[in-house]
Amino acid sequence: MAIAAVIAMSGCDSQPGSEPSTTPSVPAASSAAPADNGATAKACDDIEKDIKDNADKIAKAEKIGPPAGHLAVSAQWAAGSAMVIAHSIGANEAVSAAADKVQQEMMALGDAYMKSATAKPGKQKLEAAIAELTAACSAT
């Protein structure tokens, strides 16, 4: 509707000496809100699946054991973080920010495994980031 109004108004020239309209235009974002909610809900579903899938793959990679297993674990954390970011595109700001935190914690875990073949880094920060993401998704 806002687009139709802009198109209709674009053909109208103001009369010389006339006052410009003081009627505020409708922001385009307000007409896109339902799509944003749909995109956010899809992002939340996809990211939740990504996190579960990544946890399964991490568990399998950890069974390989050091020294080769740490490379597989590190690579899987990186792959999982990439999927989280890819699926957060189009989500609202809160979900995107929370997904970014999850991605950062996944990368930090990957880096920790890369530094040491016997690394067993804690996952508390990742769990907190996932809880924040879950809360952001619940608020949509």
Side-chain angles (χ1 to χ4, degrees):
M1 185 164 151
I3 294 172
V6 170
I7 292 171
M9 294 300 293
S10 67
C12 300
D13 289 333
S14 298
Q15 295 294 328
S18 67
E19 291 293 316
S21 173
T22 57
T23 306
S25 62
V26 177
S30 66
S31 62
D36 184 51
N37 286 342
T40 297
K42 181 173 179 359
C44 288
D45 290 343
D46 290 346
I47 293 169
E48 180 182 335
K49 289 175 189 170
D50 292 337
I51 291 169
K52 288 178 183 177
D53 183 51
N54 193 62
D56 292 342
K57 291 177 179 177
I58 290 290
K60 288 178 185 176
E62 286 176 333
K63 289 180 183 177
I64 297 170
H70 77 285
L71 297 173
V73 172
S74 178
Q76 187 54 52
W77 280 119
S81 73
M83 292 305 297
V84 167
I85 289 301
H87 285 133
S88 70
I89 295 171
N92 68 25
E93 189 175 328
V95 169
S96 292
D100 187 53
K101 288 180 183 180
V102 170
Q103 181 271 334
Q104 290 174 11
E105 292 305 323
M106 287 179 154
M107 286 303 294
L109 286 167
D111 291 346
Y113 275 94
M114 190 55 112
K115 289 178 185 176
S116 170
T118 57
K120 291 288 182 189
K123 297 177 185 167
Q124 296 85 356
K125 289 182 181 180
L126 175 61
E127 291 166 358
I130 291 170
E132 187 176 325
L133 176 65
T134 300
C137 286
S138 295
T140 59

